[in-house]
Amino acid sequence: GSPNLRVSKYRQIQQMPEGGECKGSSNQAPWWVRFSRWRQTSKSEGAQSEEQLIQLNRHKIESVNVPVGPAKEDYIHTLLGGQDNKPPLVICPGYAAGIGFFFRNFDGLSPHFKLLGLDWLGTGLSGRPRYSAATRQQAEDFFLDSLAKWKEQMGLQKFILMGHSLGGYLAACYALKYPQHVEHLILVCPAGVPQAPENWQTRFLGKGSSWRGTMFKAFMWAWEKGVTPGSFVRTLGPLGPGLIDRYVNNRFSHHGQGLNDTECDIFRRYFYHIIAAPGSGEHALRHLLAPGAWAHAPLEKRLNELQVPVTFIYGKHDWMQPEHAVKLCQDLRAARAPRSPSDLRVEIIDDAGHFVFLEQPQLFNRAVVDACASQLGAEATSRAAAGMPDVREASHTRDSSEWEYAKKPGAVGAGGSSVTAGSRAADGTAPAAAAVSGGAVSLAADLVEAAETLADAAFTQVPAGAEARVDSAAR
């Protein structure tokens, strides 16, 4: 490593007891601080909330800020853990997220890997330099070149690279640009795989006009203008924390092992602090993806040049749709032979959506171990599998596997929640994230849903009579 790294060791504590549904936030800044600022956030509060998430783990985690340039904000925030003598696994989060989103996976992966989790430059708890990219290539280079510099600073040779969502898209771009750095590529629910179908807007908007269609059109316009979820939350000022609370309560309750009270309380604060921080890397969104989360340069047109093994992991109900990856792997298999047993394979996790690692952490960890069998070795892989006895491979084909719990539906899983296959909402309907537009869902659809949730939350917090005044002004 570099002598300039700033390191802090997070304390280890016992995991707190399970709870029910999420309750109110706590551990806020003093009232005189909250009432003297517009945005309810600071770097120290963001770091504190991440530390509290990491404290829910038994294994030691170190926090490191790695310099990747000469300016004050040119650093990549990194979490280090696991075993130094194990294969290095570099974990990269998705858009508007941070490495703290993987807090449920550190304990399960630490015995098998040297863990290096990071926040992309300009996101999460990393530095927020001025973002000046104006093209897709410049936007990709903003992230890829800083990651290459981070790799040098960390003294890494080759590593397993795992990225989620937009972080998966960027991880694939990194492996294409720097194949000599990557031992194996793992793409978790990656954005930007398929090419946009010609009729995608019509399929989403449907016939006639609706509030949802109007909101979607507004988001398309805002997307093209560079408006981001972060800029929206920052503009709302003191309403921001409450709106994020409402969003998290709704967004992370459809599948798998829901967050318990303690996790949810800390996670909401962490999510708010990283999304409300000054805008930087988030502004790359429109340069990388078109409205609807369709990549300007889709991976299905680029991965034929990939020189390293690649494995995909999806939640069964992910709106990114694992079928796209299955088809891509089939096409690539027709052009070349797999480079390892897990190359060109899709691992599908039962009862999980886009945040598969949060929703089904034990199933996800097992899929990661299986994908990395060539790096871990047969004996270590067998030991790791033996340590996850509740997980089984429900199906296996040449192209894909599906992972589920060996216990009967309704059994309690690792997180203390029901692991019923294909779980449904309390009213018996399919989970919202899987049902939008008949399955033709995208990140844009999720943003529209978020806007509806946040708008609804806003009207629960304004003074009495304000909603009527807004309606009157609108008329």
Side-chain angles (χ1 to χ4, degrees):
S2 165
N4 297 320
L5 305 185
R6 300 200 305 274
V7 180
S8 63
K9 294 184 179 180
Y10 285 160
R11 298 186 304 275
Q12 302 173 59
I13 64 173
Q14 294 282 334
Q15 183 159 351
M16 297 187 180
E18 299 290 337
E21 62 183 51
C22 298
K23 299 178 180 179
S25 295
S26 60
N27 245 2
Q28 295 178 328
W31 67 267
W32 61 86
V33 175
R34 300 199 307 273
F35 281 90
S36 64
R37 61 185 181 181
W38 178 249
R39 292 199 302 271
Q40 302 300 306
T41 187
S42 65
K43 286 185 177 181
S44 61
E45 288 171 280
Q48 181 186 42
S49 61
E50 181 191 69
E51 178 179 355
Q52 291 169 342
L53 278 179
I54 300 307
Q55 287 175 351
L56 299 177
N57 289 268
R58 297 183 303 274
H59 290 80
K60 184 181 72 174
I61 301 291
E62 292 181 346
S63 170
V64 182
N65 287 333
V66 183
V68 293
K72 179 181 178 182
E73 293 295 317
D74 291 340
Y75 63 87
I76 288 181
H77 179 71
T78 309
L79 295 182
L80 304 175
Q83 314 299 316
D84 286 340
N85 62 341
K86 301 293 185 179
L89 172 64
V90 175
I91 307 174
C92 306
Y95 183 78
I99 190 56
F101 275 52
F102 287 84
F103 75 95
R104 282 180 151 189
N105 307 102
F106 294 142
D107 269 346
L109 294 176
S110 288
H112 316 298
F113 299 96
K114 176 180 180 178
L115 295 180
L116 304 99
L118 59 88
D119 292 335
W120 295 98
L121 182 64
T123 72
L125 295 178
S126 287
R128 301 291 181 121
R130 180 175 175 271
Y131 177 83
S132 59
T135 67
R136 176 189 63 82
Q137 191 60 60
Q138 290 174 353
E140 290 183 3
D141 290 343
F142 175 85
F143 299 107
L144 306 187
D145 293 348
S146 59
L147 182 57
K149 180 64 175 177
W150 172 90
K151 176 253 183 193
E152 294 178 7
Q153 291 282 72
M154 297 304 297
L156 294 173
Q157 297 302 316
K158 298 187 75 172
F159 50 87
I160 303 163
L161 179 59
M162 181 169 73
H164 171 247
S165 195
L166 187 61
Y169 172 88
L170 291 172
C173 294
Y174 185 89
L176 287 166
K177 186 172 183 178
Y178 301 104
Q180 70 275 19
H181 298 173
V182 180
E183 187 76 27
H184 191 102
L185 177 65
I186 302 177
L187 303 181
V188 182
C189 311
V193 172
Q195 190 167 358
E198 293 183 1
N199 64 338
W200 74 271
Q201 296 181 12
T202 303
R203 287 160 55 193
F204 181 81
L205 293 172
K207 298 179 180 180
S209 61
S210 65
W211 166 248
R212 188 177 184 82
T214 301
M215 286 295 297
F216 182 71
K217 291 177 181 178
F219 264 96
M220 287 179 61
W221 176 87
W223 189 306
E224 295 284 12
K225 297 298 181 181
V227 178
T228 67
S231 60
F232 179 61
V233 171
R234 288 189 292 272
T235 300
L236 292 173
L239 288 177
L243 303 185
I244 292 298
D245 285 358
R246 191 71 170 268
Y247 174 71
V248 169
N249 291 349
N250 178 65
R251 180 66 186 84
F252 297 94
S253 60
H254 294 304
H255 300 289
Q257 302 173 20
L259 301 178
N260 64 41
D261 288 346
T262 300
E263 293 172 327
C264 191
D265 182 47
I266 302 170
F267 183 77
R268 288 182 304 196
R269 282 182 275 115
Y270 170 73
F271 191 15
Y272 171 74
H273 289 307
I274 63 174
I275 201 171
S280 177
E282 69 191 62
H283 296 298
L285 184 65
R286 62 174 175 153
H287 298 130
L288 300 175
L289 306 178
W294 305 103
H296 293 301
L299 294 180
E300 71 174 15
K301 302 293 185 182
R302 304 170 70 180
L303 290 191
N304 62 313
E305 300 177 3
L306 188 66
Q307 301 176 36
V308 303
V310 58
T311 305
F312 294 81
I313 301 178
Y314 283 88
K316 189 173 183 178
H317 304 292
D318 185 13
W319 68 80
M320 293 295 182
Q321 297 181 296
E323 294 82 2
H324 295 304
V326 172
K327 182 181 183 301
L328 174 57
C329 288
Q330 290 172 344
D331 292 343
L332 292 175
R333 276 178 180 268
R336 67 167 177 85
R339 298 184 172 98
S340 71
S342 60
D343 185 23
L344 302 181
R345 288 190 56 78
V346 181
E347 310 290 336
I348 299 174
I349 308 301
D350 186 49
D351 191 19
H354 191 57
F355 291 92
V356 54
F357 48 89
L358 264 177
E359 295 159 338
Q360 295 286 21
Q362 191 176 15
L363 296 180
F364 175 81
N365 290 348
R366 175 60 195 278
V368 171
V369 167
D370 196 67
C372 299
S374 295
Q375 289 75 42
L376 294 172
E379 184 178 348
T381 301
S382 296
R383 286 199 305 269
M388 306 177 194
D390 293 336
V391 178
R392 73 182 183 95
E393 191 176 28
S395 65
H396 183 98
T397 68
R398 185 187 68 167
D399 303 306
S400 65
S401 295
E402 184 168 333
W403 297 91
E404 66 179 17
Y405 285 102
K407 295 180 180 179
K408 295 180 180 179
V412 175
S417 302
S418 173
V419 294
T420 308
S423 64
R424 304 176 75 82
D427 62 358
T429 59
V436 179
S437 300
V441 285
S442 65
L443 180 58
D446 196 49
L447 291 178
V448 171
E449 186 174 359
E452 292 172 339
T453 302
L454 297 181
D456 180 56
F459 282 118
T460 67
Q461 300 184 46
V462 295
E467 183 174 354
R469 292 195 294 273
V470 171
D471 288 341
S472 176
R475 289 194 294 269

